[in-house]
Amino acid sequence: QVQLVESGGGLAQAGGSLRLSCAASGSIFSINAMSWYRQAPGKQRELVAVITSGGSTNYADSVKGRFTISRDNAKNTVYLEMNSLKSEDTAVYYCHVHGFSDSMRYYDYWGQGTQVTVSS
């Protein structure tokens, strides 16, 4: 079993910044990719950013140059630094991780979601 705890969401003004964190714990042998998704009201969940175990990153075009994903492997934690926020960044943000448990079983988990609201 793997648990994910997200934090850092909240209210920000347009042009401001927020930092999201997602800490994984439990029966973890390895974590492969760690990702952030978001879902705005009435829209489908979309990938925001992903970081592989080797540190390679990829971003949605809408956030390139404004958001930065990083991870601390020692803490099993992924971060999303969000700068130059826009009203269209308003959404519930979810972290997602997958990898292998201590018993070498593949796992795939989502965080509970954290609300990010950007006021214009």
Side-chain angles (χ1 to χ4, degrees):
Q1 190 79 3
V2 175
Q3 295 80 41
L4 298 176
V5 177
E6 298 180 20
S7 60
L11 178 65
Q13 291 189 333
S17 299
L18 285 173
R19 188 187 194 215
L20 306 183
S21 299
C22 175
S25 63
S27 303
I28 297 171
F29 175 77
S30 65
I31 301 178
N32 297 341
M34 306 180 84
S35 308
W36 287 97
Y37 286 74
R38 67 185 180 187
Q39 187 167 19
K43 294 189 176 181
Q44 290 188 333
R45 190 172 297 188
E46 64 173 355
L47 177 66
V48 176
V50 57
I51 184 166
T52 68
S53 57
S56 297
T57 59
N58 199 17
Y59 297 90
D61 288 342
S62 59
V63 306
K64 281 181 182 177
R66 300 188 299 121
F67 290 11
T68 302
I69 189 170
S70 61
R71 62 191 282 174
D72 184 333
N73 291 327
K75 296 181 179 179
N76 290 336
T77 299
V78 61
Y79 306 96
L80 186 68
E81 185 75 35
M82 304 185 293
N83 298 315
S84 302
L85 284 164
K86 304 176 180 179
S87 57
E88 51 262 45
D89 294 320
T90 295
V92 178
Y93 284 71
Y94 299 90
C95 70
H96 176 261
V97 300
H98 64 91
F100 289 90
S101 68
D102 288 340
S103 58
M104 300 308 293
R105 288 186 176 182
Y106 176 80
Y107 66 81
D108 184 326
Y109 284 96
W110 291 88
Q112 80 279 9
T114 185
Q115 177 70 48
V116 170
T117 302
V118 182
S119 63
S120 57

